[in-house]
Amino acid sequence: MARRKQTDEATTRVRNLIALDAANIMRRLDARRGEMFALFSRLRSREPMLSTISTRYTSATFQELIHLPVLEQSVVDHFYECLDTLRWYFTYTEDMPSTAQQTFNTLHRRLEEAHRKLVATLGHPVSPDGTTVVEGEVIRRADKALP
């Protein structure tokens, strides 16, 4: 029984870390999307775009990801495959800034859809104050239960 509880806890932790990573990527993309292309246009540097989509996923191993059920593994893989497509484009594009922004918009919509599926499958990450938020409503606090 203790082994099962450890496995459930490991699965919960892996889900939360992936959900945190994905949420942070999407938050940075939303916050920096206009500025990324202004910098790309002015400096001709891809770094603002690439740093915006940096991820911790590359350090995850099968040892951690094996805790997820196969459907969740597939959903997570799909999200990071969409992110990788965006990363590849940002790394190697020779497009002018306006074309790059149009292509980004298309790839970003795909990433947003993959993120919606990821959240629907894994759930939202736990926030720093111990609450889990869905559609902006607190549903659980780690320090006390709701009535």
Side-chain angles (χ1 to χ4, degrees):
M1 191 65 150
R3 178 84 172 128
R4 173 102 168 128
K5 186 174 180 176
Q6 285 177 332
T7 301
D8 291 345
E9 180 66 23
T11 302
T12 300
R13 289 177 182 206
V14 170
R15 281 184 187 122
N16 190 60
L17 288 171
I18 291 170
L20 279 169
D21 188 41
N24 286 333
I25 291 165
M26 299 308 291
R27 179 189 47 77
R28 285 192 309 266
L29 275 171
D30 288 341
R32 300 178 188 171
R33 72 186 304 160
E35 192 176 10
M36 288 185 321
F37 292 100
L39 290 169
F40 177 58
S41 179
R42 188 173 44 132
L43 304 174
R44 295 313 240 184
S45 172
R46 293 175 170 91
E47 183 55 33
M49 297 181 294
L50 293 171
S51 64
T52 298
I53 59 172
S54 65
T55 176
R56 295 181 189 109
Y57 183 76
T58 56
S59 65
T61 66
F62 283 122
Q63 193 65 28
E64 288 88 23
L65 298 176
I66 199 165
H67 292 285
L68 298 176
V70 293
L71 174 63
E72 291 179 12
Q73 291 171 355
S74 294
V75 170
V76 168
D77 184 69
H78 177 67
F79 173 80
Y80 284 100
E81 185 61 31
C82 291
L83 184 64
D84 189 55
T85 300
L86 190 56
R87 183 179 298 110
W88 179 269
Y89 177 74
F90 282 165
T91 302
Y92 298 107
T93 186
E94 293 182 6
D95 290 343
M96 297 303 288
S98 62
T99 304
Q101 192 162 12
Q102 290 172 354
T103 302
F104 164 77
N105 289 338
T106 300
L107 296 174
H108 185 250
R109 279 191 297 274
R110 291 180 194 159
L111 186 64
E112 284 178 319
E113 181 57 33
H115 184 251
R116 277 191 287 278
K117 288 178 186 174
L118 185 137
V119 169
T121 304
L122 298 184
H124 290 276
V126 175
S127 70
D129 65 359
T131 58
T132 300
V133 179
V134 176
E135 300 296 325
E137 297 175 16
V138 175
I139 60 167
R140 181 180 63 223
R141 286 193 66 87
D143 54 345
K144 63 179 179 181
L146 294 174

